[in-house]
Amino acid sequence: MTSTFAPSQAASTTAATSAWATGATRDLRPGSRGPRPRSRFPRLHATQPPEDGSVQERGTCALWVGPAGPLRELAHDHATAVGLELVDAGSTNSSTVAVVLAQAEPPLADDLPMVPEAALLMLTDAPAISQEQWRSALENGARAVLRLPAESDSLLTHLARAARPRRRSLLLGVVGGCGGAGASSLAARLAAAATRHGNALLVDADPLGGGLDLLVEAPQHPDVGWQDVATVGSTDGEALRQALPVVDEVRLLVAGDGPGPDPSGLEHALHALEPAGGTVVVDLSPALVPVAAAHLDRLLIVVPATDHAVRAAARRLRQWALPHGLSSVAVRRRGPLSPSEVAADLRLPLAMSFRDSAPGAVPLLDVRRGGADRACRSFLSALLEAGGSGSTGGLRS
């Protein structure tokens, strides 16, 4: 979801009402108490994936749900600008990539169309967005709530992403639920597992970390790194990929001794890499998670199996206020809790659990049959078989 869902606003939303579903009051954020409904608008369509690990998308239409009037005209102009046809509700077909809803006050209508492949965007011409509208948006898995005409650029960005070519990268984020969780090591091992399915790229998006290049013993002073991203255009993703250094078949976007990415730099890079195909694994700092969330297909939160780590992860989840269905937990089995207990406490699906690798093992260079390497291989295979959106069922290694 875009920065339109500001953490300060979304974090104050502690319950959501589904008047058209069950009538129950629920807290929808990961890490909070109470069951959460499955999003009606999952990001990916569960079809057989291409062999190179890319994700297939399709579509030329945006579905309008709302009355005729100035707001519809604005939505029509934006859709046309990115090559989409805006059609009225009732015209849903397999080419629909976005549902654009003129949001009055919730609850939403019972007949809100279910379009599994589509992104739900809620529009309003009100000067401010009410708490009820925020709650309704979270309840229904909306990608964003946008005020027009003030947030015209954001609407164009969302519609343009929906209208992109069918083939694009599978973008996986990895972040620690607490300090020292081992997220960077797991990100590197996930990228190594992705080489079995095609191109793999590992992005160091933790500007305060020690550097993935040192972790995987990459050559120092790469010719291309974060310092070059600002000059990359939205159509230069493949050129950027080909220019990056390679370690054991995985391309690396790192900072070396220079500064790491800022929020705009990360968004710029992910925007360019998204259409390039293959798998992109992003090792994230906690501060950059909200920026990356709008681009990711799945976010893995690495949490050691301790009460201290679970509490820290729950606090981060509340601050991030991530879209429903984006996150799952990878449990590092180093503590008294079971993986299922960690997942239950955080109200997140269990993506995998793993034990620490042998001392001295270098991610990418030392790929093992078991441990975190096997967990990553199993997770990625299950994810691709499900088209990028299915549950992995709690893979263990």
Side-chain angles (χ1 to χ4, degrees):
M1 200 170 295
T2 69
S3 57
T4 307
F5 278 115
S8 60
Q9 292 171 305
S12 66
T13 304
T14 58
T17 302
S18 177
W20 53 270
T22 63
T25 300
R26 300 165 175 162
D27 188 340
L28 297 171
R29 297 186 313 278
S32 57
R33 296 181 181 275
R36 293 167 291 121
R38 184 178 296 274
S39 171
R40 289 159 58 86
F41 294 86
R43 171 154 186 184
L44 299 175
H45 180 52
T47 56
Q48 193 67 23
E51 293 182 357
D52 69 351
S54 304
V55 176
Q56 294 278 5
E57 287 186 334
R58 57 185 181 180
T60 57
C61 297
L63 187 69
W64 173 256
V65 182
L71 198 58
R72 188 193 188 283
E73 291 303 314
L74 282 171
H76 175 270
D77 292 343
H78 285 72
T80 301
V82 299
L84 291 176
E85 179 186 4
L86 189 70
V87 298
D88 291 319
S91 303
T92 307
N93 56 54
S94 61
S95 66
T96 300
V97 295
V99 174
V100 183
L101 173 67
Q103 190 187 41
E105 288 301 318
L108 301 179
D110 289 345
D111 59 353
L112 181 65
M114 182 182 291
V115 187
E117 297 90 347
L120 176 62
L121 305 175
M122 295 183 176
L123 307 184
T124 180
D125 53 9
I129 299 171
S130 70
Q131 287 297 320
E132 287 300 314
Q133 287 175 320
W134 287 117
R135 291 170 182 167
S136 180
L138 287 172
E139 170 75 14
N140 289 279
R143 194 71 56 81
V145 179
L146 304 171
R147 293 177 293 110
L148 292 184
E151 294 177 297
S152 173
D153 288 346
S154 293
L155 178 57
L156 280 174
T157 297
H158 279 284
L159 291 175
R161 292 184 67 240
R164 282 181 183 172
R166 298 179 180 182
R167 200 177 189 86
R168 66 170 178 81
S169 301
L170 175 66
L171 284 130
L172 304 175
V174 183
V175 66
C178 62
S184 295
S185 177
L186 189 71
R189 297 184 185 284
L190 190 60
T195 60
R196 295 187 167 203
H197 305 278
N199 296 327
L201 192 155
L202 180 59
V203 177
D204 186 351
D206 186 356
L208 299 181
L212 279 173
D213 50 334
L214 294 180
L215 181 67
V216 302
E217 299 185 358
Q220 297 299 300
H221 309 296
D223 294 332
V224 177
W226 277 112
Q227 69 275 9
D228 305 293
V229 167
T231 63
V232 174
S234 60
T235 60
D236 296 332
E238 181 57 28
L240 172 62
R241 180 197 293 272
Q242 293 299 326
L244 294 172
V246 182
V247 174
D248 202 19
E249 302 183 53
V250 175
R251 295 193 178 272
L252 301 176
L253 176 55
V254 297
D257 294 328
D262 58 15
S264 62
L266 176 60
E267 192 157 24
H268 192 76
L270 295 182
H271 184 73
L273 292 170
E274 207 166 1
T279 303
V280 178
V281 180
V282 189
D283 178 29
L284 287 160
S285 71
L288 290 178
V289 167
V291 176
H295 298 268
L296 298 177
D297 296 302
R298 182 67 65 89
L299 177 65
L300 287 179
I301 301 171
V302 185
V303 182
T306 67
D307 288 321
H308 180 270
V310 169
R311 176 182 286 180
R315 288 173 173 169
R316 291 186 177 187
L317 283 162
R318 285 194 292 272
Q319 183 180 39
W320 292 330
L322 298 167
H324 174 64
L326 177 66
S327 308
S328 54
V329 63
V331 178
R332 182 179 177 186
R333 285 151 62 187
R334 191 180 186 183
L337 302 180
S338 70
S340 59
E341 287 174 328
V342 174
D345 286 346
L346 294 174
R347 303 290 182 185
L348 288 175
L350 178 62
M352 69 173 83
S353 64
F354 61 94
R355 299 188 186 279
D356 287 350
S357 299
V362 179
L364 291 189
L365 299 181
D366 298 324
V367 176
R368 305 301 173 95
R369 295 182 60 184
D373 290 300
R374 183 170 67 183
C376 287
R377 290 192 296 269
S378 299
F379 165 77
L380 194 57
S381 295
L383 187 65
L384 291 172
E385 288 173 5
S389 61
S391 170
T392 61
L395 301 167
R396 293 174 59 89
S397 183

